[in-house]
Amino acid sequence: MDSMWMPFLLTLLLSAAAADSSLFEANGVPIVRNISEINQDNYGRLGLSHITIAGSVMHGFKEIEVWLQTFAPGARTPIHRHSCEEIFVVLKGSGTLYLASDSHKNYPGSPQQFPIFTNTTFHIPINDAHQVWNTNEHEDLQFLVIISRPPIKVFIYEDWYMPHTAAKLKFPYYWDELSYGQTAPVKDEL
Amino acid sequence: MDSMWMPFLLTLLLSAAAADSSLFEANGVPIVRNISEINQDNYGRLGLSHITIAGSVMHGFKEIEVWLQTFAPGARTPIHRHSCEEIFVVLKGSGTLYLASDSHKNYPGSPQQFPIFTNTTFHIPINDAHQVWNTNEHEDLQFLVIISRPPIKVFIYEDWYMPHTAAKLKFPYYWDELSYGQTAPVKDEL
């Protein structure tokens, strides 16, 4: 085939694609998406399955982000804090929320323990250090996580007695990292 | 019993209550709540069950709000728009999203139809008029709704050809109304 036809064929192909473009938002994100077809990954964290259902970096949301996370028995988040609102809806399994509510000390201190289980909701007060742990040996723990002010900026503690000022900023976070690639994002209210 | 003991007994009772207060945030909202114990209501809308899992007016969240809604066969939202981000996660059933994406006209106009079903997620672009309808005659449609910038301010259309400027503001919205009571809330960026 002569290469002179290529621009025409390309136009035809693009027109065919555009026929469906009304199903998408201006930023290219489909309005309706099948969650089972969204990529899941453990992002290097043992026992984790993370799906970004609606994301800032991936999908262009500016005010809210929604994740579906599954923790195998024994899997847990790091001890961490962040300055966004965060709400969990537990879909399956059970586990423990560790929460250090006294933010007036120099370090989180010994956390309170809260049992969490299917069909509970829990929230993390802004900037309180916390950790979610699947302490059920027999069952996966699955929940939806909703955060505000994405993309998330996380300060990670090695233990509950590490000073707040020593907690290490992880930004971009694991699941946003690949989308940013090697380019550092613009800094905002970190 | 002599009334002189009352202050002492009250102190004792309050101390007993305070022993559990560490399970609550400063605003009195428990950190972990059982969704099946949260009040559900139809707020005068036929075929609706609405649960505010995490709310601005009810629970003090400032940036995100999470609802669990169930629509009986045939039940639907009004045609409406709002200036917040909104993300749905469909837990059960199927139905139709009607969405008028062309916000450059004077009225929403004929909407596009999107099939929605269990395990899909969909979002509403800011200020696009939309309607969610359980068009499945045999099954309830249940989803989680996540919005930003609560409490929600909703502009309601009688039909898809009503001018944007004629849409009627409903604020406070049905499930926030009772919490506000008769007192008009402070106006913000309505």
Side-chain angles (χ1 to χ4, degrees), chain A residues 135-150:
Chain A
T135 45
N136 178 329
E137 291 173 14
H138 307 290
E139 208 180 345
D140 283 354
L141 170 63
Q142 185 177 59
F143 40 68
L144 287 163
V145 185
I146 297 126
I147 61 154
S148 64
R149 288 190 253 164

Side-chain angles (χ1 to χ4, degrees), chain B residues 41-117:
Chain B
D41 202 329
N42 69 9
Y43 297 94
R45 282 170 50 179
L46 203 64
L48 170 71
S49 160
H50 169 99
I51 292 174
T52 299
I53 287 184
S56 166
V57 181
M58 289 185 189
H59 309 113
F61 293 96
K62 295 183 187 309
E63 302 177 355
I64 38 181
E65 194 156 288
V66 182
W67 313 329
L68 176 64
Q69 293 191 325
T70 311
F71 284 71
R76 56 191 186 270
T77 69
I79 302 169
H80 66 288
R81 75 165 199 270
H82 36 62
S83 62
C84 56
E85 290 190 344
E86 183 172 39
I87 295 165
F88 290 74
V89 176
V90 183
L91 302 176
K92 282 186 207 164
S94 63
T96 306
L97 163 67
Y98 297 89
L99 180 68
S101 296
D102 186 357
S103 53
H104 298 286
K105 288 189 295 197
N106 293 332
Y107 51 87
S110 179
Q112 285 186 275
Q113 296 182 29
F114 297 87
I116 55 176
F117 46 92

